[in-house]
Amino acid sequence: MAEISSSLLYAAFIIYFIATAVFAVALTDKKADKGESMSKWGRWGYILSIVGFLSQLGYFITRWIASGHAPVSNLFEFTTFFGMMMVLGFIVIYAIYRLNVLGVFAMPIALLIIAYASMFPREIEPLIPALQSNWLKIHVTTAALGEGILAISFVAGLIYLIATIDQSKGSKKTGWLEFVLYTLLSTLGFILVSISFGLMDYQTTFEWVNENDTKAELVYEMPAIAGPHEGKMLTEGNFGPIFEAPAWMEGVDAPKKLNTFIWSLLSGLILYGLLRLFLRQRLGASLKPMLKNINTELVDEISYRAVAIGFPVFTLGALVFAMIWAQEAWTRFWGWDPKEVWALITFLFYAAYLHLRLTRDWHGERSAWLCVLGFVIIMFNLIAVNLVIAGLHSYA
Amino acid sequence: MEKIKCECGHLNPYGTILCESCGKPIQDETNDEKLLNMRYEGTARRSQTYNTNFIDKTWNFFSSVKVGVWLIVITLIASAIGTIFPQKMYIPKTVTNVAAYYEDEYGVLGEIYYLLGFHELYSSWWFVLLLGLIGVSITVASIDRGIPLYRSLKNQRVSKHDNFLKRQRMFGTSKRPEDEEQFMDEVVFRLKEKRYHVRRENGNILAEKGRFSRWGPYVNHVGLIIFLLGTMLRIVPGMYIDEDIWVREGETVAIKGTDHQYYLKHEKFVVETYDPEEERYAEAIKRVGGSVIKNYQSDVTLYKAGEKLPGAKPDLTKVKEYPIQVNRPLQFDGFSVYQVDYRQEMSEMSFQLQNKETEKPVGEFTVDLQNPKDKYDLGNGNKVILKDYYPDFYFNKEQGEPATKTPNPNNPAFIFNMITPETPEGEIAFIGIRQNLEASGDNQYKIAFNGVETDFITGLTVNRDYTLPIIFIGGIIFMIGVVQGLYWNHRRIWLKLKDDEVWVAAHTNKNWHGIKRELSDVTSKLQLNQIIDQHDQERKR
């Protein structure tokens, strides 16, 4: 069952990939994207997205059967599910607006998230007592669905920014847009670097004193740029470390994570550099002509609509259900645990967004920037709060 | 201030921008070009009307959306700062010097964090004040807008002023049809088909749907306020009880907070781990080091005390047996008892009295660490007298003598007097974990450690929270309001027969894409001209 499950996920991944390409072709079709009728290519892209989603749903169900619990209990499972919910969010929003350009951006970002998820340990894990509750499936899935829909607002916001920002000369805006694209490339870089060193079976072992003040060994799967604080390299002849991670970094295996983070940024920089060299202009400027026919007003409305649909779902899943479960498991419905706080921050952020939308000044570009920022907060809560800030939710 | 009478005859409150009844612009009649600002239906909002005294100014401050957003943003940033380093409640409980802890663990930044009070940020006066201000802002802003909006939507007429229609964002004109009666009937039919509530009044039509969604924001604000009030009620004595209790296996204790009404007997504690051989989990269990906890469980029996007589032992009647697990608290009479912690504790220590040279045992005895006996008779004239017992031993340097830190047997130590027929005067020995001292140094007998028995002791939390129902109701109302406001939208279409034309105008509070699609469908079926988005046109110009 577990094997069928991973094959289905793999299949979904490939189908999403093809769907992206089909949507990209649909974009070149001149008749399309007036928001009225679907073009032939657009329809195929949409059908493929749904087929991919069903395949991933198959992965989800079979993994559930194999593991005996809802497969949303660790970072691999949760992040994969988040990617799946983003696709679902896309399917819903596309059904309303039929905008192919949304697929061109939403599908690869979902792909990136699913690929990112696959870098975490993938075995089926048993549930610790704190997770043995029906609320696991209810709270986590609803929260992920909300985040998935909110992620679509980011996609639309990004499209809006690429389509509207003046690329004739460099400015603060073009700079930030490049930065957003660079972070996406860093995620890709992380995946590529992980896979490459994984294939090489690269390992460097350090001896160090870990966060529990005990002597331990730490195995790096990537060359050490940042070594453990006062660590001793046990593997001979390997590269590094160039410097040591600061002592105050807490959390399980913090130096290793810092090292991985540096590798992601570096590889992203290389990818970005290569692309710039090849394109001879800003990435935003290269993408812009692709979007010259789109109705930016409509894209703005889509990003707002995605927030309007996603916000209540997120609130229900990440705050209301979370509070009910916390009351049952931890004796209090609210405890200012970092994950809880960041869920509240996400909630407050989108609440502020919805209030700002009441004034016309905040429609369009400003609103698009906010959607980008909202996604940054969601990803921060998913990645940094789990990996860096230690708390009750650090299951992975 | 006096009311304003519109030419349609409706009396509007002072400060009205668009007549509540016919929509005629009251203030900027001359400006024909610009689209009307339809926010809050152009009603007279107190905050937009008065600005003279202190009360007005305070009201205006709190009713501003801008102020509200700023309050949200400040709260958001403050909350984020609170997650940089752990809050005080999450640092190890053994830490006594909190300031030093932050400095040692997180350096200069940690020191600053502590000095500024960020280690207890969420209960700091200014954070609570911030939440309070948000509460005030929500209340004022809702009253300021909600009541006039209600008035205006209730008073709206079917026939609207020309100026009102022309200056709507969606507006279009077509040729007046020949058979008016049939045309109007068809319009009504087409709009009803789209599930509009249609009102008709001599040559005018008002079609409306989703008006209830306008109340969504006010409903969710009410929910939030109930929620916030609920959380504040916790500080009222008696509303909220939260106590920790530790119970050993076999022990019966009064449940804190129940005023000696309920007693709990801890029968048995269970810790289970997953079977590392279980195929589906094997790989993961191996990766994390061979052991994953499956279950923590305290099997308990709940008793209720009968009539209480002063001094007498309570008369206990059994209520129920229950296995308390994580996620499955024991519940009774508004109380919940949660599994939160456990410890293993030494319960009994066995010793052997030996001849020091031959190591030949003379006799054995066992000390119950909770209730040690004073004397252990080993037979044949051998006995051991327990002179002193330190359950949690340490050497008090100031007093220069052994002492105990707590009454819990974490590090038990004993002073024994060993009496045998050979040593009728007795010999003194100090026995602790990995310590064996003699007073004189020339003892003939010694006490050797012979084994230890442990007991589980479970950490439970007793909780009763009368504010929960209020908080829960607040939360439900909030969710209803949010869904009501965001999943529906208020759409209105006006139609007017004017001279030899048909005028159609439309407005929605959100989702213009949706209303445009509806309009284009309706107009094409009725063979009217397309309704134009005047906002788009203005932008292109």
Side-chain angles (χ1 to χ4, degrees):
Chain A
M1 199 52 99
E3 275 153 40
I4 301 174
S5 176
S6 54
S7 311
L8 282 170
L9 182 61
Y10 194 60
F13 192 83
I14 292 169
I15 299 169
Y16 291 155
F17 197 80
I18 301 169
T20 309
V22 173
F23 275 124
V25 175
L27 208 57
T28 59
D29 189 343
K30 288 216 176 64
K31 282 176 291 184
D33 269 347
K34 296 278 182 267
E36 267 113 48
S37 64
M38 263 195 253
S39 72
K40 199 175 82 187
W41 286 98
R43 187 180 310 131
W44 276 111
Y46 190 53
I47 291 170
L48 279 169
S49 308
I50 293 173
V51 172
F53 176 78
L54 291 176
S55 173
Q56 200 178 352
L57 194 66
Y59 139 81
F60 184 75
I61 294 166
T62 46
R63 191 174 169 99
W64 191 324
I65 295 167
S67 67
H69 58 256
V72 285
S73 68
N74 61 22
L75 265 189
F76 163 69
E77 291 175 342
F78 178 80
T79 312
T80 313
F81 187 75
F82 171 51
M84 180 165 133
M85 289 300 102
M86 199 181 148
V87 174
L88 180 62
F90 165 71
I91 289 173
V92 171
I93 302 276
Y94 187 91
I96 305 174
Y97 294 98
R98 317 220 158 144
L99 198 67
N100 292 329
V101 67
L102 206 59
V104 181
F105 284 82
M107 297 309 284
I109 292 174
L111 268 175
L112 213 50
I113 289 170
I114 296 165
Y116 175 77
S118 311
M119 301 301 123
F120 294 107
R122 268 180 282 177
E123 314 94 60
I124 288 171
E125 285 179 54
L127 283 188
I128 58 166
L131 293 179
Q132 293 166 11
S133 166
N134 280 331
W135 289 104
L136 172 69
K137 41 185 182 260
I138 303 170
H139 152 63
V140 183
T141 52
T142 319
L145 176 63
E147 289 180 352
I149 303 171
L150 289 172
I152 299 299
S153 82
F154 155 70
V155 174
L158 186 62
I159 294 169
Y160 187 94
L161 293 174
I162 294 172
T164 56
I165 285 178
D166 178 14
Q167 291 284 358
S168 61
K169 58 178 191 301
S171 64
K172 225 200 265 173
K173 287 177 191 171
T174 57
W176 279 108
L177 183 60
E178 293 299 289
F179 181 73
V180 173
L181 296 171
Y182 161 70
T183 39
L184 292 175
L185 284 176
S186 295
T187 317
L188 181 63
F190 164 75
I191 294 159
L192 294 178
V193 170
S194 303
I195 294 173
S196 319
F197 287 117
L199 287 176
M200 285 159 63
D201 267 334
Y202 188 94
Q203 276 191 347
T204 310
T205 310
F206 286 93
E207 190 182 87
W208 73 309
V209 178
N210 73 7
E211 69 282 355
N212 300 326
D213 280 330
T214 46
K215 239 185 190 180
E217 282 187 3
L218 188 57
V219 183
Y220 278 46
E221 277 102 21
M222 292 179 191
I225 297 172
H229 181 69
E230 288 173 3
K232 206 179 107 204
M233 195 158 101
L234 300 178
T235 321
E236 293 208 358
N238 264 356
F239 173 85
I242 298 175
F243 65 93
E244 286 183 352
W248 53 264
M249 286 194 82
E250 291 282 302
V252 181
D253 296 348
K256 185 176 158 185
K257 285 166 189 165
L258 176 69
N259 189 55
T260 309
F261 183 66
I262 294 169
W263 269 104
S264 312
L265 294 187
L266 280 180
S267 55
L269 212 58
I270 293 167
L271 286 175
Y272 182 80
L274 288 175
L275 278 171
R276 280 297 289 261
L277 222 64
F278 174 70
L279 297 165
R280 299 189 171 277
Q281 58 181 342
R282 278 186 294 275
L283 303 194
S286 321
L287 289 169
K288 191 171 176 169
M290 209 167 99
L291 307 180
K292 64 177 183 293
N293 286 325
I294 66 161
N295 177 353
T296 54
E297 192 95 332
L298 184 66
V299 174
D300 176 57
E301 180 157 327
I302 293 174
S303 81
Y304 168 66
R305 199 80 195 284
V307 176
I309 298 173
F311 180 75
V313 179
F314 176 82
T315 310
L316 191 68
L319 293 173
V320 177
F321 290 161
M323 283 186 203
I324 297 174
W325 189 9
Q327 180 69 40
E328 216 170 86
W330 293 329
T331 80
R332 81 289 182 290
F333 63 89
W334 193 258
W336 299 105
D337 172 65
K339 193 89 177 183
E340 291 174 356
V341 176
W342 279 93
L344 176 70
I345 289 171
T346 314
F347 169 82
L348 289 175
F349 181 83
Y350 284 104
Y353 170 91
L354 289 170
H355 284 95
L356 287 172
R357 281 292 291 205
L358 292 173
T359 53
R360 189 152 284 284
D361 305 358
W362 283 84
H363 289 215
E365 193 180 315
R366 281 175 168 188
S367 155
W369 282 118
L370 287 181
C371 290
V372 171
L373 194 56
F375 187 68
V376 171
I377 295 174
I378 289 176
M379 292 315 281
F380 183 84
N381 199 3
L382 172 63
I383 298 166
V385 175
N386 274 59
L387 298 184
V388 183
I389 304 176
L392 294 170
H393 276 82
S394 305
Y395 297 124
Chain B
M1 304 272 176
E2 83 255 39
K3 300 205 167 196
I4 309 160
K5 188 166 184 179
C6 177
E7 62 177 42
C8 73
H10 184 77
L11 268 182
N12 291 291
Y14 177 75
T16 303
I17 301 159
L18 304 177
C19 170
E20 289 174 337
S21 178
C22 71
K24 179 175 173 250
I26 285 172
Q27 283 171 353
D28 60 341
E29 244 176 305
T30 44
N31 190 348
D32 233 22
E33 291 259 333
K34 237 173 59 191
L35 292 180
L36 284 180
N37 184 352
M38 288 289 286
R39 292 185 53 203
Y40 311 106
E41 305 293 301
T43 54
R45 284 164 52 203
R46 190 187 194 284
S47 62
Q48 307 296 303
T49 313
Y50 306 100
N51 188 22
T52 46
N53 60 31
F54 175 73
I55 295 172
D56 293 340
K57 288 197 168 120
T58 314
W59 182 270
N60 298 353
F61 177 79
F62 282 111
S63 81
S64 153
V65 170
K66 210 189 218 167
V67 170
V69 170
W70 270 113
L71 288 172
I72 293 175
V73 170
I74 296 168
T75 311
L76 182 161
I77 293 168
S79 305
I81 292 171
T83 63
I84 297 175
F85 299 128
Q87 289 291 299
K88 192 184 154 208
M89 60 189 148
Y90 289 118
I91 69 174
K93 292 215 165 56
T94 48
V95 172
T96 44
N97 188 343
V98 178
Y101 177 85
Y102 280 92
E103 202 186 327
D104 293 349
E105 291 285 314
Y106 308 105
V108 184
L109 286 177
E111 199 182 346
I112 297 169
Y113 199 76
Y114 176 81
L115 285 175
L116 293 178
F118 289 138
H119 66 298
E120 283 185 305
L121 181 123
Y122 306 113
S123 51
S124 67
W125 64 268
W126 63 272
F127 192 81
V128 176
L129 179 72
L130 214 48
L131 295 180
L133 289 178
I134 288 181
V136 173
S137 159
I138 288 172
T139 315
V140 172
S142 303
I143 295 171
D144 190 62
R145 293 169 174 77
I147 293 169
L149 180 65
Y150 174 77
R151 265 186 65 103
S152 176
L153 287 178
K154 205 184 71 180
N155 287 326
Q156 63 176 337
R157 265 178 33 177
V158 175
S159 10
K160 287 281 180 180
H161 193 265
D162 290 356
N163 206 336
F164 177 87
L165 295 178
K166 261 195 289 189
R167 288 167 66 191
Q168 288 299 321
R169 180 170 159 179
M170 302 301 296
F171 180 70
T173 56
S174 307
K175 215 174 110 279
R176 189 165 175 150
E178 272 157 35
D179 190 343
E180 266 163 35
E181 202 52 37
Q182 196 205 331
F183 169 74
M184 291 299 260
D185 286 345
E186 209 183 327
V187 172
V188 172
F189 174 77
R190 289 296 171 205
L191 289 170
K192 280 195 169 156
E193 200 178 45
K194 300 262 177 226
R195 281 180 297 174
Y196 278 85
H197 300 283
V198 187
R199 280 156 71 193
R200 196 169 153 181
E201 186 184 284
N202 50 38
N204 295 283
I205 281 176
L206 166 60
E208 189 177 14
K209 76 171 168 191
R211 193 204 285 187
F212 80 104
S213 80
R214 294 297 283 271
W215 313 122
Y218 308 98
V219 172
N220 83 46
H221 285 174
V222 168
L224 267 184
I225 294 198
I226 295 174
F227 186 95
L228 286 174
L229 287 178
T231 58
M232 270 188 248
L233 267 181
R234 277 182 154 210
I235 54 171
V236 175
M239 290 300 275
Y240 179 65
I241 291 170
D242 183 64
E243 303 273 5
D244 294 332
I245 47 175
W246 285 92
V247 199
R248 287 186 184 82
E249 278 177 318
E251 198 182 12
T252 306
V253 296
I255 300 176
K256 280 191 198 168
T258 64
D259 196 22
H260 288 81
Q261 285 237 5
Y262 288 97
Y263 285 75
L264 194 75
K265 183 174 184 205
H266 180 199
E267 309 282 356
K268 189 173 163 20
F269 192 80
V270 182
V271 195
E272 285 174 279
T273 50
Y274 282 94
D275 176 10
E277 305 293 311
E278 192 173 339
E279 203 189 320
R280 57 181 165 185
Y281 302 139
E283 225 178 311
I285 294 176
K286 207 172 130 200
R287 180 167 54 79
V288 298
S291 168
V292 177
I293 299 288
K294 188 178 186 177
N295 184 25
Y296 298 115
Q297 177 173 321
S298 305
D299 291 330
V300 299
T301 311
L302 177 71
Y303 294 99
K304 194 171 162 79
E307 279 298 306
K308 223 176 13 179
L309 294 169
K313 270 204 166 181
D315 186 15
L316 299 180
T317 18
K318 185 166 146 187
V319 181
K320 63 172 160 182
E321 287 174 13
Y322 188 84
I324 303 178
Q325 293 175 317
V326 179
N327 274 310
R328 280 155 201 88
L330 161 71
Q331 285 172 328
F332 63 93
D333 200 11
F335 289 92
S336 302
V337 182
Y338 298 85
Q339 179 67 52
V340 286
D341 207 349
Y342 81 100
R343 252 199 334 251
Q344 238 174 329
E345 205 175 69
M346 288 176 268
S347 60
E348 284 180 350
M349 266 187 170
S350 313
F351 300 99
Q352 221 172 38
L353 183 65
Q354 294 175 350
N355 183 301
K356 206 168 156 191
E357 262 171 47
T358 59
E359 296 208 339
K360 205 181 136 209
V362 179
E364 288 178 2
F365 65 100
T366 300
V367 181
D368 180 341
L369 298 174
Q370 288 302 322
N371 302 297
K373 286 196 282 185
D374 292 340
K375 208 167 102 182
Y376 298 88
D377 203 330
L378 310 182
N380 303 329
N382 298 308
K383 57 185 170 185
V384 174
I385 293 164
L386 178 58
K387 287 185 60 115
D388 253 314
Y389 169 44
Y390 311 98
D392 198 357
F393 167 75
Y394 79 108
F395 195 81
N396 188 331
K397 282 181 187 132
E398 279 160 38
Q399 313 240 322
E401 57 187 32
T404 187
K405 269 187 274 190
T406 64
N408 303 324
N410 296 329
N411 183 25
F414 312 85
I415 295 177
F416 289 118
N417 191 7
M418 306 169 283
I419 298 173
T420 62
E422 283 171 61
T423 57
E425 297 293 300
E427 292 177 332
I428 300 292
F430 176 89
I431 309 288
I433 291 174
R434 286 192 212 129
Q435 299 187 69
N436 204 336
L437 304 173
E438 295 174 4
S440 56
D442 54 2
N443 280 356
Q444 291 182 38
Y445 286 86
K446 69 169 184 182
I447 285 175
F449 181 69
N450 196 26
V452 66
E453 289 282 315
T454 56
D455 258 354
F456 279 112
I457 162 165
T458 184
L460 304 172
T461 291
V462 183
N463 183 295
R464 189 190 66 190
D465 193 346
Y466 283 147
T467 69
L468 280 183
I470 301 169
I471 288 169
F472 194 67
I473 288 167
I476 288 177
I477 294 175
F478 173 77
M479 278 314 301
I480 291 173
V482 170
V483 169
Q484 182 183 343
L486 290 175
Y487 287 4
W488 279 270
N489 26 72
H490 181 208
R491 292 175 183 169
R492 270 172 298 168
I493 298 171
W494 296 276
L495 184 137
K496 183 174 191 171
L497 297 177
K498 170 86 181 167
D499 303 329
D500 54 352
E501 286 182 330
V502 180
W503 286 13
V504 181
H507 178 73
T508 179
N509 64 332
K510 63 170 73 75
N511 189 4
W512 288 91
H513 179 75
I515 200 170
K516 279 182 201 172
R517 276 218 296 220
E518 265 178 4
L519 279 172
S520 79
D521 192 38
V522 169
T523 51
S524 67
K525 279 179 183 155
L526 291 169
Q527 287 164 352
L528 291 172
N529 295 336
Q530 278 286 322
I531 311 297
I532 295 149
D533 183 345
Q534 304 200 80
H535 172 66
D536 268 1
Q537 285 206 315
E538 209 170 75
R539 209 164 48 98
K540 277 174 198 146
R541 221 179 283 154

